[in-house]
Amino acid sequence: MDPGEFKDAVSRFAPNFVHAGQPMALSLTQASEVGTIYTRQEVEALTAIAHERGLPVHMDGARFANALVNLGENPADITWRQGV
């Protein structure tokens, strides 16, 4: 998920419009089913956009250890320190 595309997508929903469904959360899969691995900077950008809209952020970590090895990151640096 590209941060710019995510921002455009959530911007299409007027936050106070009660007659349509609203985004309720951002859920990231790290690493995704197709091998996408979000960098710390991407996680930071995506969570910032979600938090601007008041959305909680969830990270599915079925392959989280694989992402950590690939990125060479500390788990905290790409989760709770980024707002997940």
Side-chain angles (χ1 to χ4, degrees):
M1 180 181 330
D2 175 83
E5 290 176 5
F6 175 58
K7 186 170 188 162
D8 289 344
V10 296
S11 295
R12 293 184 191 127
F13 295 87
N16 297 320
F17 188 68
V18 298
H19 302 289
Q22 294 288 323
M24 297 304 294
L26 169 63
S27 184
L28 302 171
T29 301
Q30 184 75 306
S32 76
E33 291 83 351
V34 295
T36 303
I37 296 175
Y38 294 101
T39 65
R40 181 170 17 111
Q41 295 81 8
E42 289 169 323
V43 173
E44 180 180 26
L46 289 164
T47 57
I49 295 163
H51 292 161
E52 285 172 7
R53 292 289 304 233
L55 303 175
V57 181
H58 163 262
M59 184 175 287
D60 178 10
R63 293 162 293 279
F64 187 66
N66 296 344
L68 291 176
V69 169
N70 185 281
L71 295 170
E73 290 279 4
N74 176 312
D77 289 339
I78 60 171
T79 56
W80 65 267
R81 288 187 181 141
Q82 301 306 325
V84 176

